[in-house]
Amino acid sequence: MEKTKSPEESRKLLDKITFDLTRSIVKRDELTHFWYFILIMFAGVGLWGWGIQIRDGLGVTGMRDYVSWGMYIANFVFFVAISLIGFLISSSLHLLKIKWSHPISRVAEQVAIAGVALAGIIIVNDMGRPDRFLNVFLHGRFASPIIWDVTVVTTYLTISVLLYYIPLIPDLALIRDRGGDDIPKWKMQVYKILALGWNGNAEQYKLVYHAMRVLMILIIPVGLSIHTVTSWLFAATLRSGWDTTIFGPYFVAGAFVAGAAAVVILMYAYRVRYKLGEYFENLHFDYMGKLLVFVCLVYLYFNINEFWVPAYKMKTAEGIHLRNLFVGSFAPMFWWTQMTGLIIPIFLMLFKFFRKPLPLAIISVFILIASWLKRYIIVIPTLEHPFLPVQNVPEHFKHYSPTSIEIMITIFSFAAALLIITVLAKMFPVITIWEYAEEKGVNKEILSEPKK
Amino acid sequence: MKIKLLFAALFFLAQQGMAQEWLVPDDQKNVQNPSEYNLDNVKKGKEIYLRDCKSCHGDPGKNNGLPLVPPPPDFTSDIMQANTDGELFYKITHGRGGMPQFETTISEDDRWRLVNYIRNFNPENEPVLVEEPPKKAKILASVNEEARQVEVFAEYQDKDSNYVVLAETPISIGAKKAFGTLPIGQVLTNEEGRAEYHIPESLIGDEQGMVTLVIDLGEGFITDDVVLDAAKVGQPKPTPKLIQKDVLWSTNENIQVWLLLSYLAAVLGAWGTIGYVVFQIFKISRAGKKQ
């Protein structure tokens, strides 16, 4: 934290910070409209595909008796994965008192909310009879990882929303009090309501800090469970490729890789689009790059364990599965994900140049794509090799390839996730203003001063 | 020259289009059949044929084998009989394409007996096993639940179309199962054409111990198999309820208490804390009104 500034300086600084960080809320140009148009169009097309799927049933997908989990579940795991970054950055790093990560917290929370919300929706996408969704709760088996997963996804979503909202309250009051005249009236109205009559007294700050702290601690076990339980959906079976004990930490490590990449991409987008170069500084990208290297190395370590140990033994079924990944039909995808999702990025990010904003954002795009493919590789090849021989079935039962409906619905999920993030960024500042200002030496009293 | 070419082309086409000739190594061709060509060996060969070969090669003389490519030849056909004993033995032993190998499943002696059986259909041989034309027959059967026994009475139609008792003839008893009839035993009829068969104690029926018995006269007679009404003559089928074992992945009724408690405790803990945080939000709102 910097030295407390004089009231005069503080006011000037706070005005500047507020001005910069509300730019995303105020800004509304051609590109904004175009971006909304694109997202809504893709989401709409996907919803239309979903309509067809609900009308005609899951037969419109490529899923059949053997491969009964396809792109949807791979996509589900991906979204759960990216959502986990919220817990790493806005809770773990916070609790460890790592200062540089503070401005990134809200971005991470955006990713978390969008990711876990979509994860929930994708599960419903994967249901042949979504109207029976409630049966999961009414008739669920408490001993089933699926019930645990549903439980933990909803819990994590709730906590993420709270963890997004509570630090936002002082910001809302701040904009309510000193926001520029260019902020639309209805938004101001929303801020007024959501600010809950915040006036910045000591008791309120105490409550905010307390609630945040409770949430940050609570989110650690919940965050760890969400992806561990997701991994158990696979690991609790006997199937080759899934029947392993390291799936929990393997998934968690992989999730950090995917999520950190998503956060870097968002940071870069905000930095460029909302001219936040002074807030998402080179330093932040540098640290995020280092964090990425670290989580990638952990993930690489788990990957080596995950493949090397069974490959050493090549047990019958496991051997078929591994050969299929290493040299068989999934080999191109497998090596692509390992190279562009882990090995090359690790190597590149060791150099300072590649931890600069643009190169890091580009690397992150590759990592994110590889992360998605990686989930595909975890789900589908195993299902294509059941233990019983595949016989007397039509040819298209033997191999899975997603149909256009599945691809449409998957694109819907991406569009919807981006839409959630966009709306959040357009509604609320992407960095916690009061926290940031305080760290720059602005006094709390100044924060709650109404506009002159 | 031209003719040579034509032959070459024909030969080539023949190789491509028709079944390729099945070559047997010279030293195997002329191996002598060590088992004697007599009724015993031919009968044994027939038994094995019915068990292991008929499904593809069909009934001898009827050319009703499976439509495979190349087709499994009829045992009476020239293709079959043109083989030397050694060739037959080699082909049965090693198989090729659609013809499975029997090296590992049929003993060497029995493979030679199969060769003997094939030779029974060779026009140059005196057949040792002559199949009489099948006779019409009738079976009456009933099951006695208390005595656990099946009572059978059989008649057949003689040359003058009169039904007379069928004496000293084996009758097969089977039990109907999901995938066909399970043979459980045989009895010989007595002088009066009657037989009593004691159902073994160990026979397993359905969940209630009900068994549907099938009575059959076997080869050489034309009858409808007699299928008796299900009778309670078997042991009840054990139906292990896997899901009710003491396993972690059981149903809600059998869930392990500690698992349920852990789940509920975790859920209550998390949501209780969430509730607490939501309460803090109310407190924030209230604290705002104070000043």
Side-chain angles (χ1 to χ4, degrees), chain A residues 310-321:
Chain A
Y312 194 84
K313 298 174 274 193
M314 278 289 180
K315 288 188 281 187
T316 325
E318 207 81 27
I320 294 173
H321 173 70

PDB file of all heavy atoms in Angstrom, chain A residues 310-321:
ATOM      1  N   PRO A 310       0.727 -46.034 -16.425  1.00  0.00           N
ATOM      2  CA  PRO A 310       0.071 -47.134 -17.151  1.00  0.00           C
ATOM      3  C   PRO A 310       0.826 -47.534 -18.416  1.00  0.00           C
ATOM      4  O   PRO A 310       0.792 -48.705 -18.793  1.00  0.00           O
ATOM      5  CB  PRO A 310      -1.314 -46.581 -17.489  1.00  0.00           C
ATOM      6  CG  PRO A 310      -1.219 -45.124 -17.310  1.00  0.00           C
ATOM      7  CD  PRO A 310      -0.152 -44.864 -16.317  1.00  0.00           C
ATOM      8  N   ALA A 311       1.509 -46.587 -19.058  1.00  0.00           N
ATOM      9  CA  ALA A 311       2.223 -46.933 -20.294  1.00  0.00           C
ATOM     10  C   ALA A 311       3.387 -47.862 -19.998  1.00  0.00           C
ATOM     11  O   ALA A 311       3.801 -48.663 -20.841  1.00  0.00           O
ATOM     12  CB  ALA A 311       2.728 -45.669 -20.985  1.00  0.00           C
ATOM     13  N   TYR A 312       3.907 -47.771 -18.798  1.00  0.00           N
ATOM     14  CA  TYR A 312       5.011 -48.666 -18.423  1.00  0.00           C
ATOM     15  C   TYR A 312       4.525 -50.104 -18.374  1.00  0.00           C
ATOM     16  O   TYR A 312       5.228 -51.025 -18.694  1.00  0.00           O
ATOM     17  CB  TYR A 312       5.544 -48.226 -17.063  1.00  0.00           C
ATOM     18  CG  TYR A 312       6.873 -48.834 -16.714  1.00  0.00           C
ATOM     19  CD1 TYR A 312       8.052 -48.248 -17.171  1.00  0.00           C
ATOM     20  CD2 TYR A 312       6.960 -49.974 -15.939  1.00  0.00           C
ATOM     21  CE1 TYR A 312       9.275 -48.791 -16.859  1.00  0.00           C
ATOM     22  CE2 TYR A 312       8.174 -50.530 -15.621  1.00  0.00           C
ATOM     23  CZ  TYR A 312       9.331 -49.937 -16.075  1.00  0.00           C
ATOM     24  OH  TYR A 312      10.545 -50.481 -15.773  1.00  0.00           O
ATOM     25  N   LYS A 313       3.256 -50.269 -17.938  1.00  0.00           N
ATOM     26  CA  LYS A 313       2.722 -51.624 -17.766  1.00  0.00           C
ATOM     27  C   LYS A 313       1.941 -52.097 -18.984  1.00  0.00           C
ATOM     28  O   LYS A 313       1.919 -53.278 -19.278  1.00  0.00           O
ATOM     29  CB  LYS A 313       1.800 -51.643 -16.539  1.00  0.00           C
ATOM     30  CG  LYS A 313       2.532 -51.304 -15.257  1.00  0.00           C
ATOM     31  CD  LYS A 313       1.579 -51.174 -14.089  1.00  0.00           C
ATOM     32  CE  LYS A 313       1.008 -49.792 -14.006  1.00  0.00           C
ATOM     33  NZ  LYS A 313       0.318 -49.527 -12.736  1.00  0.00           N
ATOM     34  N   MET A 314       1.277 -51.179 -19.654  1.00  0.00           N
ATOM     35  CA  MET A 314       0.486 -51.522 -20.830  1.00  0.00           C
ATOM     36  C   MET A 314      -0.442 -52.704 -20.582  1.00  0.00           C
ATOM     37  O   MET A 314      -0.422 -53.697 -21.311  1.00  0.00           O
ATOM     38  CB  MET A 314       1.401 -51.808 -22.033  1.00  0.00           C
ATOM     39  CG  MET A 314       1.852 -50.560 -22.746  1.00  0.00           C
ATOM     40  SD  MET A 314       0.491 -49.809 -23.634  1.00  0.00           S
ATOM     41  CE  MET A 314       1.273 -48.386 -24.380  1.00  0.00           C
ATOM     42  N   LYS A 315      -1.205 -52.636 -19.510  1.00  0.00           N
ATOM     43  CA  LYS A 315      -2.204 -53.679 -19.277  1.00  0.00           C
ATOM     44  C   LYS A 315      -3.156 -53.706 -20.477  1.00  0.00           C
ATOM     45  O   LYS A 315      -3.369 -52.685 -21.116  1.00  0.00           O
ATOM     46  CB  LYS A 315      -2.991 -53.373 -17.997  1.00  0.00           C
ATOM     47  CG  LYS A 315      -2.174 -53.599 -16.748  1.00  0.00           C
ATOM     48  CD  LYS A 315      -3.051 -53.465 -15.515  1.00  0.00           C
ATOM     49  CE  LYS A 315      -3.278 -52.014 -15.184  1.00  0.00           C
ATOM     50  NZ  LYS A 315      -3.976 -51.818 -13.912  1.00  0.00           N
ATOM     51  N   THR A 316      -3.740 -54.858 -20.714  1.00  0.00           N
ATOM     52  CA  THR A 316      -4.461 -55.075 -21.977  1.00  0.00           C
ATOM     53  C   THR A 316      -5.332 -53.894 -22.404  1.00  0.00           C
ATOM     54  O   THR A 316      -5.076 -53.263 -23.430  1.00  0.00           O
ATOM     55  CB  THR A 316      -5.347 -56.328 -21.865  1.00  0.00           C
ATOM     56  OG1 THR A 316      -4.664 -57.261 -21.057  1.00  0.00           O
ATOM     57  CG2 THR A 316      -5.650 -56.891 -23.226  1.00  0.00           C
ATOM     58  N   ALA A 317      -6.371 -53.628 -21.603  1.00  0.00           N
ATOM     59  CA  ALA A 317      -7.332 -52.609 -22.030  1.00  0.00           C
ATOM     60  C   ALA A 317      -6.694 -51.224 -22.003  1.00  0.00           C
ATOM     61  O   ALA A 317      -6.871 -50.414 -22.908  1.00  0.00           O
ATOM     62  CB  ALA A 317      -8.553 -52.640 -21.121  1.00  0.00           C
ATOM     63  N   GLU A 318      -5.925 -50.999 -20.939  1.00  0.00           N
ATOM     64  CA  GLU A 318      -5.229 -49.723 -20.801  1.00  0.00           C
ATOM     65  C   GLU A 318      -4.312 -49.503 -22.001  1.00  0.00           C
ATOM     66  O   GLU A 318      -4.190 -48.393 -22.522  1.00  0.00           O
ATOM     67  CB  GLU A 318      -4.415 -49.754 -19.507  1.00  0.00           C
ATOM     68  CG  GLU A 318      -4.178 -48.420 -18.886  1.00  0.00           C
ATOM     69  CD  GLU A 318      -5.360 -47.935 -18.071  1.00  0.00           C
ATOM     70  OE1 GLU A 318      -6.137 -48.774 -17.558  1.00  0.00           O
ATOM     71  OE2 GLU A 318      -5.519 -46.724 -17.958  1.00  0.00           O
ATOM     72  N   GLY A 319      -3.669 -50.596 -22.420  1.00  0.00           N
ATOM     73  CA  GLY A 319      -2.740 -50.520 -23.546  1.00  0.00           C
ATOM     74  C   GLY A 319      -3.438 -50.093 -24.825  1.00  0.00           C
ATOM     75  O   GLY A 319      -2.931 -49.257 -25.576  1.00  0.00           O
ATOM     76  N   ILE A 320      -4.622 -50.666 -25.062  1.00  0.00           N
ATOM     77  CA  ILE A 320      -5.374 -50.295 -26.268  1.00  0.00           C
ATOM     78  C   ILE A 320      -5.682 -48.798 -26.218  1.00  0.00           C
ATOM     79  O   ILE A 320      -5.489 -48.065 -27.186  1.00  0.00           O
ATOM     80  CB  ILE A 320      -6.682 -51.108 -26.336  1.00  0.00           C
ATOM     81  CG1 ILE A 320      -6.356 -52.584 -26.528  1.00  0.00           C
ATOM     82  CG2 ILE A 320      -7.580 -50.588 -27.433  1.00  0.00           C
ATOM     83  CD1 ILE A 320      -7.561 -53.486 -26.444  1.00  0.00           C
ATOM     84  N   HIS A 321      -6.124 -48.361 -25.045  1.00  0.00           N
ATOM     85  CA  HIS A 321      -6.481 -46.956 -24.867  1.00  0.00           C
ATOM     86  C   HIS A 321      -5.270 -46.051 -25.120  1.00  0.00           C
ATOM     87  O   HIS A 321      -5.347 -45.066 -25.858  1.00  0.00           O
ATOM     88  CB  HIS A 321      -7.014 -46.769 -23.447  1.00  0.00           C
ATOM     89  CG  HIS A 321      -7.261 -45.353 -23.062  1.00  0.00           C
ATOM     90  ND1 HIS A 321      -8.283 -44.629 -23.608  1.00  0.00           N
ATOM     91  CD2 HIS A 321      -6.615 -44.530 -22.205  1.00  0.00           C
ATOM     92  CE1 HIS A 321      -8.260 -43.415 -23.093  1.00  0.00           C
ATOM     93  NE2 HIS A 321      -7.266 -43.327 -22.242  1.00  0.00           N
TER      94      HIS A 321
END
